[in-house]
Amino acid sequence: MAEPEIIVAPVAGKADLNAFIDLAYRLNRSDPSWVPPLRNEVAELLNPAKNPFFEHADVQLFLARRGDAVVGRISAHIDHLATAMDPAQGMGPSTGNWGLLEAEDQAVAAALIARAEQWLREKGMTRVLAPLSMSIWEEPGQLTKGFDHPPTVMMGHQPERYQHYIEALDYVPAKLLRTYDLNIIKPFPPLIERIVQSGERNSKIRVRNVDKAKFDAEAAIILHILNDAWSDNWGFVPFTDREIAYAGKKFKPIVREDLIQIAEYEGEPVAFMMTLPNLNEQLIGMGGSLFPFNWAKLLWWLRKPATKTMRVPLMGVLKKHQGSRLASQLAFMMIENIRRNAVSRYGATRGEIGWVLDDNQGMNAIADAIESKVNKEYTIYEKRL
């Protein structure tokens, strides 16, 4: 008997949306490295009334069915802030995206991607960068190295077979994103220690913890530095004011003052480093739900988050100082301060730095200098439509 035809259709209504969300949990439940996200967080990501990404993006969700069975899903989207960027930075006019891919097999993946491409083409796009789920700031890229261990907080994880599905459809790598693994128990090499000690003796330099009592003001300082420091980076898309407020609200429960540092030079904030305790160590056994008792476990952990791993998702130095000796010194000072705090106050044994663009010479050099090793790679692919 012939297998039923694969039908790909737009998500329509609450039942379809629930099926879209549920599919990831069913297809990935046997993968020991997959961390089930909280279902309410996924629902919020896909809710135009709550996620400010929808304020500057067109988004369409699709489901694939064989007969009555849901067998795949994908999102197609156009970020109008990204299409307004200089094409030399990776995005640019007529560039759309797809993401949130889940598929039972290669035929389903091919049908979903073809439908997403069709939707983008109908919207006037001539090029696609994918996968992005959904903003460049959320979960960019397909995992292509590091399938054997779970991702850290706010990192993606996709089956290795998806890489082959994508590459079979004439997609070619556009950019490689790396994460670095670091043993934070042992001190840094003597040269780095001397650089840090020199900075600590310099009266022009002050490296401080953030003040959570002034959360909005501190967040504004960090986002100002971030938007300046990253503005020439490949794939950069600026944050909107609403996205800044939204990100602040989401980060606040896991923000620890002694894990986020701001560096000042002659009284001016010029650099920052954000570190987050690895929430995924708690989520991996919760199945995506806070009920019936997971909410209490999570609330207890958030009061004093003991964790093996810390993730550094963001750091930056104002452009006017980039490439200078000062920039490296500030980076090493912040890393060392946070390393000490992570080990002594949270029991952490390893750190993860990422994502780092493969051509970010400054950050790759810093990662090498502190003897960290690449443990994961994510590939963003491109294709002409």
Side-chain angles (χ1 to χ4, degrees), residues 67-302:
D68 294 331
V70 175
V71 293
R73 74 177 201 188
I74 200 169
S75 63
H77 30 94
I78 301 165
D79 182 346
H80 296 291
L81 293 182
T83 61
M85 300 302 293
D86 185 339
Q89 286 184 250
M91 297 290 191
S94 302
T95 297
N97 316 108
W98 57 255
L100 297 173
L101 175 68
E102 299 288 353
E104 283 195 354
D105 55 44
Q106 185 165 4
V108 173
L112 286 163
I113 292 171
R115 185 65 184 88
E117 291 173 350
Q118 178 187 344
W119 184 85
L120 292 171
R121 205 177 287 113
E122 290 169 353
K123 295 283 187 177
M125 301 297 103
T126 59
R127 174 174 174 261
V128 59
L129 279 176
L132 298 182
S133 302
M134 288 184 289
S135 161
I136 190 72
W137 293 104
E138 289 163 353
E139 293 185 7
Q142 160 67 37
L143 183 65
T144 48
K145 176 181 178 178
F147 299 96
D148 59 342
H149 56 283
T152 53
V153 58
M154 298 181 180
M155 296 283 288
H157 178 87
Q158 304 87 22
E160 185 173 4
R161 58 193 174 90
Y162 288 6
Q163 174 186 353
H164 306 305
Y165 295 170
I166 295 168
E167 292 175 355
L169 297 172
D170 298 324
Y171 280 81
V172 296
K175 186 59 62 175
L176 186 66
L177 313 177
R178 294 171 172 155
T179 65
Y180 285 89
D181 181 80
L182 173 66
N183 178 353
I184 61 174
I185 294 294
K186 66 176 185 177
F188 291 138
L191 173 61
I192 306 304
E193 290 187 332
R194 290 195 294 272
I195 292 172
V196 170
Q197 292 164 3
S198 172
E200 291 172 342
R201 293 192 297 267
N202 188 337
S203 61
K204 295 181 179 181
I205 295 174
R206 179 190 178 212
V207 177
R208 64 174 179 84
N209 297 343
V210 297
D211 184 349
K212 206 169 179 179
K214 302 175 181 176
F215 186 83
D216 291 344
E218 298 285 58
I221 290 172
I222 289 171
L223 267 298
H224 165 71
I225 297 171
L226 176 66
N227 277 336
D228 179 82
W230 287 42
S231 60
D232 293 334
N233 282 8
W234 187 95
F236 175 78
V237 178
F239 277 99
T240 67
D241 289 343
R242 282 261 295 132
E243 285 176 315
I244 291 170
Y246 180 72
K249 180 182 176 182
K250 292 180 73 67
F251 277 129
K252 196 169 186 177
I254 56 173
V255 162
R256 292 296 177 270
E257 292 178 325
D258 53 355
L259 296 177
I260 301 180
Q261 305 245 299
I262 293 175
E264 299 172 354
Y265 184 70
E266 295 183 330
E268 178 191 11
V270 296
F272 80 95
M273 177 175 167
M274 173 183 289
T275 305
L276 300 174
N278 186 22
L279 179 63
N280 280 6
E281 290 176 19
Q282 304 301 309
L283 296 183
I284 197 166
M286 292 186 176
S289 175
L290 290 176
F291 300 100
F293 304 115
N294 286 335
W295 66 270
K297 295 176 185 177
L298 188 58
L299 188 62
W300 181 260
W301 182 82
L302 287 170

Side-chain angles (χ1 to χ4, degrees), residues 43-55 242 246 249:
E44 187 170 303
L45 171 74
L46 302 174
N47 188 339
K50 294 186 177 181
N51 184 353
F53 175 72
F54 286 83
E55 295 175 1
R242 282 261 295 132
Y246 180 72
K249 180 182 176 182

Side-chain angles (χ1 to χ4, degrees), residues 327-341:
S328 297
Q329 186 169 48
L330 295 177
F332 289 134
M333 291 175 71
M334 292 186 292
I335 292 170
E336 172 60 7
N337 287 353
I338 292 175
R339 184 193 72 81
R340 294 170 187 164
N341 294 341

